Amino acid sequence: MDFRDSPAEAAFRAEARAFLEAHAPRDYAHAYGQNVDEDALVRNQRAWQRTLHEHGWAALTWPKEYGGRGVGPIEQIIWNGELARAGLGESIFVVGIGMAGPTIIAHGSEPQRAHLEPMLRGDEVWCQLFSEPGAGSDLASVGCRAVRDGGDWVVTGQKTWCSGGHYADWGILLTRSDPSVPKHEGITFFLLDMTSPGIEVRPLRQMTGGEHFNEVFLNEVRIPDANRVGPAGGGWSVCKTTLMHERMAIGGIELFGFRWDDFLGHAKANAERIDDVLRDDIGKLYTWVKTLELLNARMITKLGRGEMPAAEASVMKLAMARIVTEGGEAGLRLLGDAAMSKDGPWQDIFLMAPSFHIAGGTDEIQKNQAAERVLGLPREAETDRRVPYDQIPKG
Ligand SMILES: Cc1cc2nc3c(=O)[nH]c(=O)nc-3n(C[C@H](O)[C@H](O)[C@H](O)COP(=O)(O)OP(=O)(O)OC[C@H]3O[C@@H](n4cnc5c(N)ncnc54)[C@H](O)[C@@H]3O)c2cc1C
């Protein structure tokens, strides 16, 4: 495994770092945490996205013909690392640029590709309307019903956990268009204008006090057939493209503001509170941070050799969730009584950490991936795979 950048990688890293040092906004607003001023968040991140676009950093892996930089996953990983280092790793454009855009490039029609430029410029915020109360880890169980009516589809159902749905302009939507066939075969994928009549977005309050995600109710929402991506009933393979890109996008996000160097500074400033137990826990935390760095290096090495990483992204996601959880706890313990106050970066990290074990695939699902693809254990049984959707018992 190569622990250091190749000359080309080092040059790219230096270019990225120089750009960020020259242009990074001083007052970057984050979507997570407490006391989020959402108007400022959207305004501020739209402006940063425009700057990225003007300088050719808006979408690294998109082909040049669609306004991207046309580089590979190694550069994307390096760029994600540099963004996180600068405290800019989290973006409200992650669904648009990281998931919807690549899906439209791969499966969309020419008119649908008109969305790509506004995504890059920061003019369109996108959200993901996949999860439902009865479909999360088993996403192919979506039940939100789409019925063809002339040139439109009429969609009725409930989505949940929709991050940023309350300020999104557009959404990518998974629906059940044919319940009479097995679950993977009756799904249709749409682009949804979030201003369409019949959409009700209800924010869900988190324990941080913030309202980062939403339940979304669709009540006979009309979607033009022109907004269908891929064939009717062929939405699952479109969705797999989105999920593949989501893994890449999530793998690169910053750890809700947790950075080892900040933590170390915090620990040194509060050294009098470090007893033997906390010293031991900080040692374990450091081991996880180093493990993540090594997994990252392994992924880059594999990609550099033209090999596809197997379950590295899953193991990295597990490590990231653990670092945020243990880092947030240790950060609070270093604060002593002051941890009882609600405000502060360590409180934010602590309160957001549990969601990291769920979002983008739960810990158990990541472990399943590692079990099957690293350890070679048998695939999980799927007893309902060939059963028509409307004959599967619903909980
Ligand atoms: C912060 C955050 C943001 C999110 N944003 C979005 C968004 O913008 N759009 C969107 O569509 N979704 C979003 N999600 C939803 C997320 O993708 C789902 O929560 C996730 O896929 C898990 O689904 P679920 O919540 O339905 O849990 P379930 O799938 O019901 O799982 C419940 C429990 O059962 C376990 N489990 C389930 N299946 C298995 C299995 N096969 N083997 C072992 N254990 C299993 C799980 O690990 C979990 O512990 C977000 C979630 C979070 C936390």
Side-chain angles (χ1 to χ4, degrees), residues 13-58:
R13 189 183 297 283
E15 188 189 348
R17 201 169 282 188
F19 166 76
L20 291 173
E21 277 163 11
H23 295 278
R26 289 182 201 290
D27 55 347
Y28 192 67
H30 292 269
Y32 53 78
Q34 313 161 55
N35 309 322
V36 178
D37 175 346
E38 302 227 312
D39 290 339
L41 165 81
V42 176
R43 206 173 42 246
N44 172 304
Q45 289 209 13
R46 276 189 201 271
W48 173 232
Q49 185 59 36
R50 203 159 305 129
T51 306
L52 288 171
H53 181 44
E54 281 162 11
H55 292 83
W57 293 96

Side-chain angles (χ1 to χ4, degrees), residues 161 206-208 213 256 317 320-322 324-326 328-329 347-359 361-363:
W161 295 102
Q206 303 147 226
M207 67 177 165
T208 56
F213 37 65
F256 294 133
K317 167 95 195 326
M320 286 157 81
R322 187 132 184 189
V324 186
T325 299
E326 295 188 4
E329 275 175 26
Q347 283 88 337
D348 277 355
I349 294 169
F350 176 78
L351 291 170
M352 284 303 293
S355 68
F356 218 135
H357 295 272
I358 305 170
T362 66
D363 282 4

Side-chain angles (χ1 to χ4, degrees), residues 109-327:
S109 63
E110 228 21 71
Q112 288 167 356
R113 293 194 175 129
H115 285 290
L116 299 174
E117 173 73 15
M119 280 179 192
L120 293 172
R121 262 200 323 263
D123 293 344
E124 284 183 8
V125 180
W126 284 65
C127 65
Q128 182 188 26
L129 296 147
F130 283 10
S131 304
E132 297 178 6
S137 304
D138 181 14
L139 192 55
S141 290
V142 285
C144 181
R145 192 75 172 92
V147 178
R148 186 77 195 248
D149 182 27
D152 290 343
W153 293 78
V154 179
V155 178
T156 299
Q158 182 188 351
K159 295 288 170 178
T160 191
W161 295 102
C162 177
S163 304
H166 49 311
Y167 47 69
D169 305 295
W170 282 83
I172 41 176
L173 173 70
L174 268 197
T175 64
R176 172 75 41 202
S177 52
D178 184 355
S180 69
V181 294
K183 59 182 180 178
H184 294 89
E185 293 166 27
I187 291 174
T188 300
F189 192 116
F190 293 102
L191 309 182
L192 175 67
D193 179 347
M194 291 298 285
T195 61
S196 311
I199 301 180
E200 188 191 344
V201 180
R202 288 190 204 158
L204 292 165
R205 185 170 284 266
Q206 303 147 226
M207 67 177 165
T208 56
E211 292 174 348
H212 168 66
F213 37 65
N214 307 270
E215 291 181 296
V216 178
F217 294 85
L218 298 122
N219 188 14
E220 298 190 353
V221 177
R222 297 194 83 85
I223 304 180
D225 188 53
N227 289 3
R228 171 172 47 79
V229 185
W236 185 248
S237 71
V238 181
C239 172
K240 282 199 289 190
T241 301
T242 314
L243 297 180
M244 186 183 80
H245 286 277
E246 177 174 14
R247 273 192 284 279
M248 191 76 185
I250 299 260
I253 62 169
E254 67 173 16
L255 309 175
F256 294 133
F258 179 88
R259 285 181 287 184
W260 173 255
D261 290 347
D262 294 348
F263 179 84
L264 198 59
H266 180 50
K268 285 180 179 162
N270 294 284
E272 73 284 357
R273 294 212 177 86
I274 303 180
D275 57 18
D276 287 349
V277 178
L278 186 50
R279 186 183 308 278
D280 198 34
D281 288 345
I282 292 173
K284 283 188 205 146
L285 178 60
Y286 182 66
T287 311
W288 277 106
V289 170
K290 284 288 142 193
T291 304
L292 186 62
E293 281 176 23
L294 293 175
L295 284 165
N296 205 43
R298 180 195 277 202
M299 187 132 99
I300 292 182
T301 306
K302 270 198 170 175
L303 288 165
R305 289 186 192 141
E307 296 167 25
M308 274 312 282
E312 276 84 352
S314 293
V315 182
M316 283 175 76
K317 167 95 195 326
L318 284 166
M320 286 157 81
R322 187 132 184 189
I323 289 168
V324 186
T325 299
E326 295 188 4

Side-chain angles (χ1 to χ4, degrees), residues 308-391:
M308 274 312 282
E312 276 84 352
S314 293
V315 182
M316 283 175 76
K317 167 95 195 326
L318 284 166
M320 286 157 81
R322 187 132 184 189
I323 289 168
V324 186
T325 299
E326 295 188 4
E329 275 175 26
L332 283 194
R333 280 152 72 193
L334 285 164
L335 283 175
D337 294 345
M340 298 301 284
S341 132
K342 211 166 147 273
D343 297 321
W346 302 105
Q347 283 88 337
D348 277 355
I349 294 169
F350 176 78
L351 291 170
M352 284 303 293
S355 68
F356 218 135
H357 295 272
I358 305 170
T362 66
D363 282 4
E364 289 74 20
I365 296 301
Q366 309 299 343
K367 286 178 187 167
N368 281 353
Q369 290 283 326
E372 288 170 19
R373 296 169 70 189
V374 180
L375 304 176
L377 295 179
R379 276 183 69 86
E380 215 187 350
E382 266 187 289
T383 49
D384 59 4
R385 196 171 178 96
R386 300 192 195 291
V387 181
Y389 176 81
D390 55 10
Q391 290 175 30

